[in-house]
Amino acid sequence: METDETPRVLPFQLQFDKPVASQIKIAEWNPEKDLLAMVTEDSKILLHRFNWQRLWTIFPGRCITSLCWRPDGKAIAVGLEDGTISLHDVENGKLLRSLKSHTVAVVSLNWEEDGQVIKDDSVNNSTYEDRTSRFFPPAPRVPRMPGLAPGDTGFMDDSDDSFRELSNSSYQRFNILCSGDKDGSICFSIFGIFPIGKINIHNLSIPTPFATEPATCRLSHASISKVALSKDLCHLIVMCSGELNHDEVESAERQLGMHGCHCLRLDTSIFWKRKNELHQVAQQASNIEDLIEVIRASLSVMSKQWSDAMHTFREKFDSLSSLIIDHGLDSSPQEEFLSLLGGARTSPPVHQFLVNSLGESGVKRVSKVVCGAGKELQHVVLDHLQPAAEIIGFRMGELRGLSRWRTRFQGIGLDETLINNATEKSGILLVQVERFMRVLSSVVQQFSNFFNWLLKCIKLLNQEPSDQLLPCNSELVVIFLKFLYDQDPVKPFLELSEVDIEPYMETLQRVKELVHFGGFSDCDFLRRTLAEEFKQMESSFKEAFLMPFTTISRKMLCKDVLPLFALPSSSASVSVSVPISVTYYKDASTSVSSYLTHEHGFIDYISFQIPGDSSSNIANCIGISRRFMHSLSNSSIEESASLEAVLLSVPDGYHCVDLSLYKEGQIVLLLNESTSASECSGESCMMIVQADDLPFVSIPRSGCINTWNLDQLKDSVTHLRLENEKVRNIPHSVAAPLAVGASRGVACVFAARKRALVYILDEDEDDVSDGE
C-alpha cells in the first residue's frame, strides 16, 4: 500500500481516456501496426488508430462472436453467430472473402504463421513461385451485374487490389487460420481461404499417456473456449469445458465423469512436415476457387442480360399473335412473315403490327436491346469467363504435375486420378465456351438480319426510300423464322436443364474416334450445356480437393489432456466463460539448428481464472501452466514431468475480470473490486506479473483422469499483493475485454461507463508521469 511518507510513482502512463459509443465486447490490437479493432455490443466493428482516430466502421448484419488479425496485420477475420468467417481488408474494411466452415457460432479464432525463420534463402523451400503470371495476364474479376452500384454484389471492385493480394499467397509465409465453434468443431484454413481440415472434440479419442495400461477417454457436452496453434504449427491447444469419461465406463457409471475445464493438446505436425506441399496445393486450389466464382457470376450475369432481352422481344412480338386472332386468321406469325418475304400482299394484322404497333422506332429499340445484349454476353465471355476457364486449366495442369509426385503429395491426399478427372473437366469447359460463342454469334447475326429486313419492310409499307438501310439475307430470314422466332437456343446454354442437347450423330461419332488418341474420355459433353458443364467441373473440383481435406483431418490426433479445475454440475449444458489466455514464447536455451526437428523451442503458457463458483478448493485463483505441449517429449514417466504450474491467489476484495499473456513472459491482470454496489461504481486495478519470477511447481502426471492436476497446488498458492506487484489503480469499475498490444506495449481497458483507457506498459517507472 502507498504511504504518505513515500508517494508511489504510478507504473503505467495513461495515454488516452476516450468515450466509446457502445459497450465493447471484443478488442484486438493489430500485430504489426498501431491499430485497435473493437466489436460493440450491437456487433459493429470499429477500427481506431493509437491516437484514437477512427478509420472505419462496418456492420456485418449478424452477431459477431470472435475476431483475430492475420499475422501480417493486413486482414482481419471475423467469426459470426451463423458459423460464417468473413475476412476484411485493414485499409477500408471491405469484405475480401466469406467462408461457411461452421454451422453454429464461431467462438474462437486463431491465425498463426510458421515461426521458422531461416537466414539462408537457399535452405528455405517454403517460398513457392506461382508460374501463372508468366503465361497469363492478371486473373479476371467478377463481372458487375447491370444496374448495381459498385460493391452491391459483395465482390471487390476492379480497382481494388486487396482481394488479389489476399489470394496471391505465393510469397506469404505459410499460415493457418484455426476456428472453433460452440458445438466443438475446429476448422483449419490455409491462408484463411483454403479449407484443409476439420475435427470435432467430441469424436476425439483422448489417450491417458501415463496410465499403467493403455486407456482412452472422451469428452461429452463439451464447449470450446479457446483454440491456439503453436508458433511451429505442430501443436494445437484447445481450452474447453465439458465432461471427461473413460471409454470403458458403462452408461450407469457415466455420472462419475469429471465435469470441468480441460486442456487438450492435438498433434498438428502435419502442417509443419508438409508445409511446402500444402502451400503449393493451397495456392493453386484457392485461386481456382476464386476463378470458379468468376465463372459462376459470369453465367449469372449473362443469363440475366439475355433473359431481359428476350423478354423485351417477346413483349413486342407477342402482340402480332393477338392481332392475327382478332382478324379471324388461323395462321402463325412465322407464316405471315414468310408470306411477306415471298412477295405476297401484306395481310391486315401484319400491316397493323409493322406500321402502327411496332414501327420503325420500335424495331430499332428491340434490335438495340437484343443485339446489345448479345454483344455484352460476348464481352463477358471474352473478358471474364474465358480467361478464367483458361487459367483454371493451367492451374489444374500444375496440380496434375504435383499429383504425380507421389512420394511428396500422396501423403497429403492429392489423388492423381481425381486430379486427372478435374483437369479433363476444365478442358471440356473451354470447348463448351468456344461452342457457346459460336452459337451466340450465329444467333446475334440472325436477329440483326431479321431486324434489318423488318426495317426494310416498314420503309416499303410507308413508301419511304430504303436505300440507306443495311442489306439483309432472305435465306437467313427464313432460317430465323423457322428456328429462332419462337425458340431460344442461347438460354439453355446458360441454365441447368433436364433436357439434353441432341448433337448430330456424325459429330458424336467423330468425338468417339478422337477418344482413342487420348487426352479425354468423356464422349457425352456435346449433350450438355455450358451451365451443366460448369456444374460438373465444379463437382469434380470439390471431389478432388476433398481428399486433402479428409486426409489432413484424419492425421490430427489428440495426444494429451490436462484436467484443470472442476465446475458445478449445474453448468453441464451451459457454456462457461472464464478469462483465458494461451501464448507461446521463444525458449532462449533452444539450439539454433532446432528448425530441423519438430521442437522449435517455443514454450506454451496457459493462463486462466478459476471461477469463484468452482467446486474446486482453489476458487478465485489464477492458474498458469507451462510446457504442457512438451510433457510427452520423453519416453519415461520420470523424465517427462516437465509440466509446471503455479496458482496465484487474487487479493481479497478483488476478482479477475480478464487477463492476457504479454511479451517476455509477463501476465497482465485486470482486477475489479468485489464489494461494489453496482457495476458502474467502485475501483479496479491493472497488474503485471513476471512469469519467470513465479514459483512454478513441477506437476507429476497421473494416468488416472479422475484427478484434477491443479488441486495438487492448493497447499502452495502464491498470494498476489497490491503493494508488491506492478499495479496501476483505475478509478472506475472495468469490464472485459482487456486488449494488450505487444508490438507497441500498450493496454486498452474498457470502463463500465463506456470509457476506453489506453495505458503505456513498457515505459520505465522512473520516467512515467501521472497521465490522469
Side-chain angles (χ1 to χ4, degrees), residues 335-348 350-351 354 453 457 460-461:
E335 292 172 342
E336 293 294 332
F337 281 130
L338 286 173
S339 177
L340 179 62
L341 179 65
R345 182 184 178 90
T346 307
S347 63
V350 173
H351 187 281
L354 293 179
W453 175 72
C457 292
L460 293 176
L461 291 175

Side-chain angles (χ1 to χ4, degrees), residues 231-248:
K231 298 292 184 182
D232 55 10
L233 307 180
C234 288
H235 307 278
L236 174 72
I237 290 180
V238 182
M239 303 291 289
C240 59
S241 59
E243 186 172 327
L244 193 62
N245 295 281
H246 277 296
D247 278 348
E248 292 79 6

Side-chain angles (χ1 to χ4, degrees), residues 6-19:
T6 58
R8 182 169 182 175
V9 178
L10 296 177
F12 311 125
Q13 179 182 353
L14 177 64
Q15 190 74 10
F16 298 107
D17 183 351
K18 300 290 185 179

